[in-house]
Amino acid sequence: MSIESGRAAIELRGVSKRFGSVQVLNRVDLDVHRGKAVVLIGPSGSGKTTLLRCMNFLEEFEEGEIRIDGEPLGYSDDGTRRRRPEREIARQRAALGMVFQSFNLFPHMTVLANVTVGPVRIKGLPRSEAEAVARELLDRVGLGHKLDAYPGQLSGGQQQRVAIARALAMKPKAMLFDEVTSALDPELVGEVLAVMRQLAESGMTMVIVTHEMAFARDAADQVVFMSGGSIVEAGPPDQLFHAPQTERLQAFLRHFR
Ligand code: ADP
């Protein structure tokens, strides 16, 4: 019997989105369960990044509903689909940590300051407490020796690991990763994936858009294949990679052989 009970941490129901006349997401349903790592794969332009950005309300969506721990995201719950006040959206957004392809660190702040600024300014944590948390997280991502460095003095892989620590410092309910290794030199990809793998093993709820199929195969609890704005197949990695059911997924996987 499954011990999973209650609702999923992130629930998507019938989420549709257009950019102008282009239908980018088409009635997407997805449950991201607590403690699970869900990896989104699919061809370029299939809607993976847009779907991830909807989960943080960085993109609005015209139809459907997203719930974070049961609470409707972005729009009011009263059937009018009114946009929530910005304060509420900011609160909802802060519940999810997001890491982007471009690391977006503050260039004029040290590594330690980058990781403490959110908890101090947004959560009102005392600086000493925020620094203790930051040191621990930076240790965890292997950068305990770079506290006083500036982003410009770090490699891309190191900067991305700081970005992960910075997101974790806000104690998010879940982490969203948008192609976080795509801009890195190949030799730096592994160190970032290792941190993400460790995070998945520690039980963090994660949604990850990536082209790293080996990572998807061994770190995901669930793999979701998107094509043309829809989820075409979803399931455990073994099933998706070894017994793809649709011609579209079979064709997509052939590119990685
Ligand atoms: P993926 O992450 O799978 O590569 P995206 O979600 O980035 O796909 O893009 C899905 C589709 O939406 C593409 O056709 C893309 O050109 C389009 N798109 C993405 N962002 C925008 C935008 N801000 N304005 C207009 N079209 C966009």
Side-chain angles (χ1 to χ4, degrees):
M1 203 180 78
S2 168
I3 53 164
E4 234 161 44
S5 63
R7 34 197 338 159
I10 307 175
E11 298 167 287
L12 286 79
R13 292 291 175 270
V15 173
S16 294
K17 175 166 184 67
R18 281 184 300 277
F19 281 118
S21 60
V22 183
Q23 188 81 33
V24 181
L25 296 174
N26 191 13
R27 303 197 57 76
V28 174
D29 294 329
L30 180 67
D31 280 339
V32 179
H33 290 282
R34 277 186 199 84
K36 302 294 183 192
V38 172
V39 174
L40 306 181
I41 62 170
S44 235
S46 57
K48 306 179 299 294
T49 288
T50 303
L51 188 66
L52 195 75
R53 290 171 60 86
C54 284
M55 290 181 204
N56 214 0
F57 211 60
L58 291 174
E59 298 289 353
E60 299 193 18
F61 41 97
E62 295 87 32
E63 281 170 47
E65 182 178 71
I66 298 179
R67 285 176 182 262
I68 308 294
D69 268 351
E71 184 183 70
L73 173 71
Y75 303 107
S76 70
D77 204 7
D78 58 10
T80 62
R81 210 185 164 73
R82 257 179 309 125
R83 196 181 150 103
R84 285 178 187 266
E86 290 308 313
R87 283 178 68 94
E88 278 185 38
I89 290 175
R91 168 182 61 77
Q92 292 189 315
R93 227 173 240 153
L96 299 176
M98 182 127 182
V99 187
F100 300 89
Q101 185 175 327
S102 53
F103 332 116
N104 304 337
L105 297 175
F106 299 115
H108 60 289
M109 290 186 187
T110 65
V111 164
L112 187 66
N114 264 280
V115 180
T116 50
V117 65
V120 170
R121 291 213 190 140
I122 296 169
K123 293 205 146 175
L125 221 64
R127 180 167 304 277
S128 60
E129 211 173 300
E131 285 191 0
V133 171
R135 282 170 198 277
E136 189 191 315
L137 287 170
L138 285 163
D139 259 346
R140 237 169 102 184
V141 302
L143 292 172
H145 60 302
K146 293 286 186 187
L147 303 181
D148 298 324
Y150 286 86
Q153 300 170 313
L154 303 179
S155 73
Q158 290 173 327
Q159 290 186 55
Q160 197 55 300
R161 286 185 281 144
V162 174
I164 293 172
R166 182 178 58 174
L168 289 171
M170 295 296 284
K171 301 211 183 307
K173 290 177 178 169
M175 290 279 287
L176 310 177
F177 294 88
D178 188 12
E179 298 198 25
V180 297
T181 60
S182 298
L184 298 178
D185 291 333
E187 72 273 18
L188 304 177
V189 168
E191 64 193 59
V192 175
L193 294 179
V195 165
M196 292 164 68
R197 202 172 271 126
Q198 191 189 73
L199 202 54
E201 281 164 11
S202 79
M204 174 60 75
T205 308
M206 301 162 76
V207 186
I208 302 156
V209 173
T210 186
H211 294 287
E212 298 289 336
M213 291 303 131
F215 173 79
R217 205 174 298 134
D218 62 44
D221 294 294
Q222 192 189 23
V223 178
V224 171
F225 171 61
M226 291 187 68
S227 177
S230 300
I231 292 180
V232 175
E233 284 191 50
D238 255 7
Q239 181 188 316
L240 257 83
F241 289 111
H242 299 125
Q245 300 295 303
T246 59
E247 172 52 34
R248 272 194 281 182
L249 177 53
Q250 287 160 9
F252 175 73
L253 292 176
R254 258 178 244 131
H255 294 297
F256 297 95
R257 297 244 163 81

Tab-separated table of all heavy atoms in Angstrom, residues 178-224:
chain	number	residue	atom	x	y	z
A	178	ASP	N	15.237	25.302	-13.968
A	178	ASP	CA	15.001	25.495	-15.403
A	178	ASP	C	16.309	25.405	-16.196
A	178	ASP	O	17.040	26.383	-16.292
A	178	ASP	CB	14.332	26.858	-15.634
A	178	ASP	CG	13.894	27.023	-17.077
A	178	ASP	OD1	13.892	26.018	-17.817
A	178	ASP	OD2	13.567	28.156	-17.467
A	179	GLU	N	16.584	24.242	-16.737
A	179	GLU	CA	17.779	24.025	-17.570
A	179	GLU	C	19.026	24.628	-16.940
A	179	GLU	O	19.771	25.373	-17.574
A	179	GLU	CB	17.567	24.622	-18.964
A	179	GLU	CG	16.424	23.958	-19.695
A	179	GLU	CD	16.465	24.209	-21.201
A	179	GLU	OE1	17.552	24.464	-21.737
A	179	GLU	OE2	15.404	24.137	-21.829
A	180	VAL	N	19.270	24.283	-15.696
A	180	VAL	CA	20.306	24.962	-14.926
A	180	VAL	C	21.725	24.600	-15.349
A	180	VAL	O	22.675	25.265	-14.936
A	180	VAL	CB	20.147	24.725	-13.402
A	180	VAL	CG1	18.837	25.314	-12.905
A	180	VAL	CG2	20.242	23.259	-13.052
A	181	THR	N	21.871	23.568	-16.173
A	181	THR	CA	23.233	23.219	-16.624
A	181	THR	C	23.468	23.579	-18.084
A	181	THR	O	24.557	23.370	-18.613
A	181	THR	CB	23.530	21.715	-16.423
A	181	THR	OG1	22.582	20.941	-17.168
A	181	THR	CG2	23.450	21.336	-14.957
A	182	SER	N	22.448	24.142	-18.742
A	182	SER	CA	22.558	24.373	-20.201
A	182	SER	C	23.616	25.403	-20.580
A	182	SER	O	24.152	25.355	-21.682
A	182	SER	CB	21.211	24.814	-20.768
A	182	SER	OG	20.269	23.797	-20.562
A	183	ALA	N	23.877	26.369	-19.693
A	183	ALA	CA	24.832	27.418	-20.049
A	183	ALA	C	26.253	27.088	-19.580
A	183	ALA	O	27.162	27.892	-19.751
A	183	ALA	CB	24.379	28.747	-19.440
A	184	LEU	N	26.433	25.907	-18.997
A	184	LEU	CA	27.741	25.583	-18.404
A	184	LEU	C	28.659	24.861	-19.377
A	184	LEU	O	28.201	24.104	-20.238
A	184	LEU	CB	27.540	24.680	-17.176
A	184	LEU	CG	26.732	25.253	-16.018
A	184	LEU	CD1	26.585	24.208	-14.925
A	184	LEU	CD2	27.400	26.509	-15.475
A	185	ASP	N	29.962	25.086	-19.219
A	185	ASP	CA	30.924	24.277	-19.958
A	185	ASP	C	30.717	22.820	-19.541
A	185	ASP	O	30.437	22.546	-18.366
A	185	ASP	CB	32.349	24.707	-19.617
A	185	ASP	CG	32.665	26.097	-20.161
A	185	ASP	OD1	32.043	26.485	-21.171
A	185	ASP	OD2	33.501	26.798	-19.559
A	186	PRO	N	30.889	21.902	-20.489
A	186	PRO	CA	30.580	20.489	-20.208
A	186	PRO	C	31.254	19.940	-18.955
A	186	PRO	O	30.639	19.169	-18.209
A	186	PRO	CB	31.098	19.763	-21.452
A	186	PRO	CG	31.120	20.788	-22.528
A	186	PRO	CD	31.320	22.122	-21.873
A	187	GLU	N	32.480	20.385	-18.681
A	187	GLU	CA	33.187	19.806	-17.530
A	187	GLU	C	32.625	20.296	-16.191
A	187	GLU	O	32.995	19.785	-15.136
A	187	GLU	CB	34.701	20.056	-17.632
A	187	GLU	CG	35.142	21.490	-17.396
A	187	GLU	CD	35.120	22.350	-18.661
A	187	GLU	OE1	34.453	21.977	-19.656
A	187	GLU	OE2	35.768	23.412	-18.647
A	188	LEU	N	31.730	21.296	-16.236
A	188	LEU	CA	31.167	21.834	-14.993
A	188	LEU	C	29.755	21.335	-14.709
A	188	LEU	O	29.187	21.610	-13.646
A	188	LEU	CB	31.154	23.369	-15.057
A	188	LEU	CG	32.505	24.034	-15.320
A	188	LEU	CD1	32.339	25.547	-15.422
A	188	LEU	CD2	33.512	23.683	-14.228
A	189	VAL	N	29.202	20.596	-15.668
A	189	VAL	CA	27.811	20.134	-15.530
A	189	VAL	C	27.670	19.160	-14.359
A	189	VAL	O	26.742	19.235	-13.557
A	189	VAL	CB	27.331	19.488	-16.855
A	189	VAL	CG1	26.011	18.746	-16.671
A	189	VAL	CG2	27.192	20.566	-17.940
A	190	GLY	N	28.648	18.251	-14.263
A	190	GLY	CA	28.557	17.164	-13.288
A	190	GLY	C	28.438	17.645	-11.850
A	190	GLY	O	27.660	17.108	-11.073
A	191	GLU	N	29.192	18.698	-11.500
A	191	GLU	CA	29.191	19.157	-10.100
A	191	GLU	C	27.824	19.743	-9.710
A	191	GLU	O	27.412	19.637	-8.551
A	191	GLU	CB	30.302	20.198	-9.875
A	191	GLU	CG	30.143	21.482	-10.650
A	191	GLU	CD	31.408	22.350	-10.634
A	191	GLU	OE1	32.476	21.882	-11.081
A	191	GLU	OE2	31.313	23.490	-10.166
A	192	VAL	N	27.138	20.334	-10.685
A	192	VAL	CA	25.813	20.894	-10.398
A	192	VAL	C	24.779	19.768	-10.304
A	192	VAL	O	23.940	19.745	-9.391
A	192	VAL	CB	25.422	21.944	-11.470
A	192	VAL	CG1	23.989	22.431	-11.251
A	192	VAL	CG2	26.394	23.117	-11.428
A	193	LEU	N	24.871	18.811	-11.226
A	193	LEU	CA	23.946	17.670	-11.170
A	193	LEU	C	24.134	16.880	-9.876
A	193	LEU	O	23.169	16.377	-9.301
A	193	LEU	CB	24.133	16.755	-12.383
A	193	LEU	CG	23.742	17.367	-13.738
A	193	LEU	CD1	23.996	16.359	-14.859
A	193	LEU	CD2	22.296	17.833	-13.760
A	194	ALA	N	25.380	16.803	-9.406
A	194	ALA	CA	25.647	16.053	-8.162
A	194	ALA	C	24.921	16.700	-6.984
A	194	ALA	O	24.347	16.013	-6.138
A	194	ALA	CB	27.153	15.983	-7.906
A	195	VAL	N	24.933	18.035	-6.951
A	195	VAL	CA	24.229	18.751	-5.881
A	195	VAL	C	22.720	18.497	-5.975
A	195	VAL	O	22.043	18.263	-4.969
A	195	VAL	CB	24.530	20.271	-5.961
A	195	VAL	CG1	23.559	21.079	-5.112
A	195	VAL	CG2	25.974	20.545	-5.519
A	196	MET	N	22.203	18.497	-7.196
A	196	MET	CA	20.762	18.266	-7.377
A	196	MET	C	20.378	16.837	-7.002
A	196	MET	O	19.320	16.589	-6.424
A	196	MET	CB	20.360	18.567	-8.818
A	196	MET	CG	20.471	20.048	-9.145
A	196	MET	SD	20.458	20.388	-10.889
A	196	MET	CE	18.772	19.921	-11.283
A	197	ARG	N	21.260	15.906	-7.349
A	197	ARG	CA	21.013	14.493	-7.018
A	197	ARG	C	20.944	14.311	-5.492
A	197	ARG	O	20.067	13.655	-4.963
A	197	ARG	CB	22.145	13.645	-7.621
A	197	ARG	CG	21.787	12.192	-7.821
A	197	ARG	CD	22.880	11.476	-8.599
A	197	ARG	NE	22.676	11.538	-10.026
A	197	ARG	CZ	23.557	11.980	-10.909
A	197	ARG	NH1	24.722	12.438	-10.513
A	197	ARG	NH2	23.284	11.984	-12.194
A	198	GLN	N	21.892	14.954	-4.818
A	198	GLN	CA	21.959	14.894	-3.350
A	198	GLN	C	20.694	15.505	-2.721
A	198	GLN	O	20.143	14.967	-1.770
A	198	GLN	CB	23.187	15.708	-2.972
A	198	GLN	CG	23.685	15.649	-1.567
A	198	GLN	CD	24.776	16.720	-1.401
A	198	GLN	OE1	24.483	17.913	-1.350
A	198	GLN	NE2	26.031	16.299	-1.347
A	199	LEU	N	20.244	16.582	-3.333
A	199	LEU	CA	19.038	17.256	-2.852
A	199	LEU	C	17.813	16.351	-3.028
A	199	LEU	O	16.959	16.252	-2.142
A	199	LEU	CB	18.866	18.544	-3.657
A	199	LEU	CG	18.048	19.671	-3.093
A	199	LEU	CD1	18.538	20.074	-1.723
A	199	LEU	CD2	18.113	20.868	-4.056
A	200	ALA	N	17.757	15.684	-4.159
A	200	ALA	CA	16.638	14.754	-4.413
A	200	ALA	C	16.667	13.634	-3.377
A	200	ALA	O	15.626	13.248	-2.835
A	200	ALA	CB	16.729	14.198	-5.829
A	201	GLU	N	17.871	13.125	-3.113
A	201	GLU	CA	17.992	12.032	-2.135
A	201	GLU	C	17.608	12.483	-0.731
A	201	GLU	O	17.142	11.693	0.081
A	201	GLU	CB	19.426	11.476	-2.138
A	201	GLU	CG	19.669	10.536	-3.308
A	201	GLU	CD	21.143	10.294	-3.559
A	201	GLU	OE1	21.982	10.673	-2.714
A	201	GLU	OE2	21.447	9.731	-4.634
A	202	SER	N	17.806	13.771	-0.449
A	202	SER	CA	17.467	14.276	0.885
A	202	SER	C	15.964	14.480	1.053
A	202	SER	O	15.497	14.860	2.126
A	202	SER	CB	18.200	15.597	1.142
A	202	SER	OG	17.529	16.657	0.475
A	203	GLY	N	15.189	14.260	-0.039
A	203	GLY	CA	13.740	14.324	0.089
A	203	GLY	C	13.119	15.656	-0.285
A	203	GLY	O	11.950	15.904	0.002
A	204	MET	N	13.902	16.517	-0.950
A	204	MET	CA	13.334	17.788	-1.424
A	204	MET	C	12.362	17.506	-2.572
A	204	MET	O	12.631	16.666	-3.418
A	204	MET	CB	14.478	18.698	-1.902
A	204	MET	CG	14.050	20.002	-2.546
A	204	MET	SD	13.067	21.088	-1.492
A	204	MET	CE	14.301	21.741	-0.387
A	205	THR	N	11.247	18.208	-2.584
A	205	THR	CA	10.317	18.151	-3.712
A	205	THR	C	10.904	18.996	-4.838
A	205	THR	O	11.260	20.149	-4.610
A	205	THR	CB	8.942	18.722	-3.300
A	205	THR	OG1	8.523	18.060	-2.105
A	205	THR	CG2	7.923	18.548	-4.400
A	206	MET	N	11.042	18.413	-6.033
A	206	MET	CA	11.732	19.121	-7.110
A	206	MET	C	11.040	18.926	-8.454
A	206	MET	O	10.549	17.838	-8.740
A	206	MET	CB	13.181	18.590	-7.246
A	206	MET	CG	14.004	18.755	-5.981
A	206	MET	SD	15.481	17.690	-5.935
A	206	MET	CE	16.586	18.527	-7.051
A	207	VAL	N	11.029	19.990	-9.252
A	207	VAL	CA	10.612	19.869	-10.647
A	207	VAL	C	11.765	20.406	-11.485
A	207	VAL	O	12.241	21.520	-11.253
A	207	VAL	CB	9.324	20.667	-10.961
A	207	VAL	CG1	8.866	20.382	-12.387
A	207	VAL	CG2	8.219	20.329	-9.969
A	208	ILE	N	12.216	19.596	-12.422
A	208	ILE	CA	13.466	19.880	-13.117
A	208	ILE	C	13.261	19.791	-14.624
A	208	ILE	O	12.840	18.746	-15.134
A	208	ILE	CB	14.530	18.839	-12.700
A	208	ILE	CG1	14.748	18.857	-11.183
A	208	ILE	CG2	15.843	19.071	-13.447
A	208	ILE	CD1	15.296	17.556	-10.619
A	209	VAL	N	13.542	20.886	-15.335
A	209	VAL	CA	13.571	20.842	-16.799
A	209	VAL	C	15.025	20.634	-17.201
A	209	VAL	O	15.905	21.409	-16.805
A	209	VAL	CB	13.058	22.161	-17.413
A	209	VAL	CG1	13.262	22.166	-18.927
A	209	VAL	CG2	11.591	22.374	-17.079
A	210	THR	N	15.286	19.585	-17.967
A	210	THR	CA	16.671	19.316	-18.348
A	210	THR	C	16.756	18.502	-19.627
A	210	THR	O	15.803	17.822	-20.016
A	210	THR	CB	17.426	18.566	-17.226
A	210	THR	OG1	18.812	18.451	-17.571
A	210	THR	CG2	16.867	17.172	-16.995
A	211	HIS	N	17.908	18.632	-20.282
A	211	HIS	CA	18.212	17.774	-21.429
A	211	HIS	C	19.195	16.678	-21.039
A	211	HIS	O	19.672	15.940	-21.888
A	211	HIS	CB	18.788	18.606	-22.583
A	211	HIS	CG	17.794	19.572	-23.153
A	211	HIS	ND1	16.742	19.176	-23.940
A	211	HIS	CD2	17.672	20.912	-23.021
A	211	HIS	CE1	16.016	20.228	-24.283
A	211	HIS	NE2	16.558	21.303	-23.725
A	212	GLU	N	19.531	16.601	-19.750
A	212	GLU	CA	20.490	15.593	-19.280
A	212	GLU	C	19.746	14.278	-19.023
A	212	GLU	O	19.218	14.051	-17.935
A	212	GLU	CB	21.165	16.073	-17.989
A	212	GLU	CG	21.985	17.343	-18.129
A	212	GLU	CD	23.276	17.120	-18.921
A	212	GLU	OE1	23.752	15.962	-18.968
A	212	GLU	OE2	23.787	18.097	-19.491
A	213	MET	N	19.722	13.429	-20.039
A	213	MET	CA	18.908	12.209	-19.940
A	213	MET	C	19.450	11.225	-18.903
A	213	MET	O	18.676	10.542	-18.232
A	213	MET	CB	18.802	11.511	-21.300
A	213	MET	CG	17.989	12.283	-22.292
A	213	MET	SD	16.302	12.635	-21.722
A	213	MET	CE	16.222	14.384	-22.081
A	214	ALA	N	20.771	11.152	-18.764
A	214	ALA	CA	21.331	10.214	-17.779
A	214	ALA	C	20.893	10.624	-16.381
A	214	ALA	O	20.532	9.785	-15.548
A	214	ALA	CB	22.853	10.181	-17.885
A	215	PHE	N	20.883	11.924	-16.144
A	215	PHE	CA	20.424	12.445	-14.853
A	215	PHE	C	18.948	12.110	-14.642
A	215	PHE	O	18.551	11.641	-13.575
A	215	PHE	CB	20.653	13.959	-14.791
A	215	PHE	CG	20.060	14.608	-13.573
A	215	PHE	CD1	20.706	14.542	-12.350
A	215	PHE	CD2	18.841	15.274	-13.649
A	215	PHE	CE1	20.157	15.127	-11.218
A	215	PHE	CE2	18.277	15.860	-12.531
A	215	PHE	CZ	18.935	15.785	-11.311
A	216	ALA	N	18.143	12.348	-15.672
A	216	ALA	CA	16.709	12.044	-15.568
A	216	ALA	C	16.518	10.571	-15.227
A	216	ALA	O	15.697	10.213	-14.380
A	216	ALA	CB	15.991	12.387	-16.877
A	217	ARG	N	17.305	9.725	-15.877
A	217	ARG	CA	17.153	8.285	-15.688
A	217	ARG	C	17.475	7.873	-14.254
A	217	ARG	O	16.783	7.078	-13.655
A	217	ARG	CB	18.096	7.548	-16.655
A	217	ARG	CG	17.639	6.154	-17.006
A	217	ARG	CD	18.545	5.570	-18.084
A	217	ARG	NE	18.488	6.338	-19.321
A	217	ARG	CZ	19.560	6.718	-20.028
A	217	ARG	NH1	20.779	6.421	-19.636
A	217	ARG	NH2	19.398	7.400	-21.144
A	218	ASP	N	18.536	8.467	-13.662
A	218	ASP	CA	18.885	7.954	-12.336
A	218	ASP	C	18.477	8.831	-11.151
A	218	ASP	O	18.530	8.372	-10.017
A	218	ASP	CB	20.343	7.492	-12.246
A	218	ASP	CG	21.319	8.613	-12.497
A	218	ASP	OD1	21.119	9.723	-11.970
A	218	ASP	OD2	22.275	8.391	-13.241
A	219	ALA	N	18.021	10.054	-11.396
A	219	ALA	CA	17.641	10.892	-10.242
A	219	ALA	C	16.137	11.129	-10.130
A	219	ALA	O	15.650	11.514	-9.072
A	219	ALA	CB	18.362	12.237	-10.307
A	220	ALA	N	15.394	10.905	-11.215
A	220	ALA	CA	13.960	11.228	-11.186
A	220	ALA	C	13.150	10.132	-10.518
A	220	ALA	O	13.465	8.954	-10.635
A	220	ALA	CB	13.441	11.430	-12.612
A	221	ASP	N	12.101	10.540	-9.810
A	221	ASP	CA	11.083	9.586	-9.390
A	221	ASP	C	10.063	9.427	-10.510
A	221	ASP	O	9.532	8.363	-10.737
A	221	ASP	CB	10.378	10.091	-8.124
A	221	ASP	CG	11.328	10.128	-6.942
A	221	ASP	OD1	11.761	9.050	-6.525
A	221	ASP	OD2	11.669	11.232	-6.478
A	222	GLN	N	9.807	10.556	-11.175
A	222	GLN	CA	8.882	10.521	-12.288
A	222	GLN	C	9.448	11.346	-13.437
A	222	GLN	O	9.992	12.428	-13.212
A	222	GLN	CB	7.516	11.104	-11.870
A	222	GLN	CG	6.451	10.807	-12.906
A	222	GLN	CD	5.139	11.523	-12.664
A	222	GLN	OE1	5.085	12.545	-11.992
A	222	GLN	NE2	4.079	10.996	-13.240
A	223	VAL	N	9.319	10.829	-14.650
A	223	VAL	CA	9.732	11.567	-15.833
A	223	VAL	C	8.472	11.911	-16.622
A	223	VAL	O	7.569	11.086	-16.764
A	223	VAL	CB	10.693	10.730	-16.711
A	223	VAL	CG1	11.079	11.501	-17.968
A	223	VAL	CG2	11.941	10.362	-15.920
A	224	VAL	N	8.418	13.171	-17.075
A	224	VAL	CA	7.261	13.650	-17.822
A	224	VAL	C	7.756	14.086	-19.192
A	224	VAL	O	8.634	14.942	-19.296
A	224	VAL	CB	6.611	14.843	-17.078
A	224	VAL	CG1	5.542	15.507	-17.930
A	224	VAL	CG2	6.031	14.380	-15.735
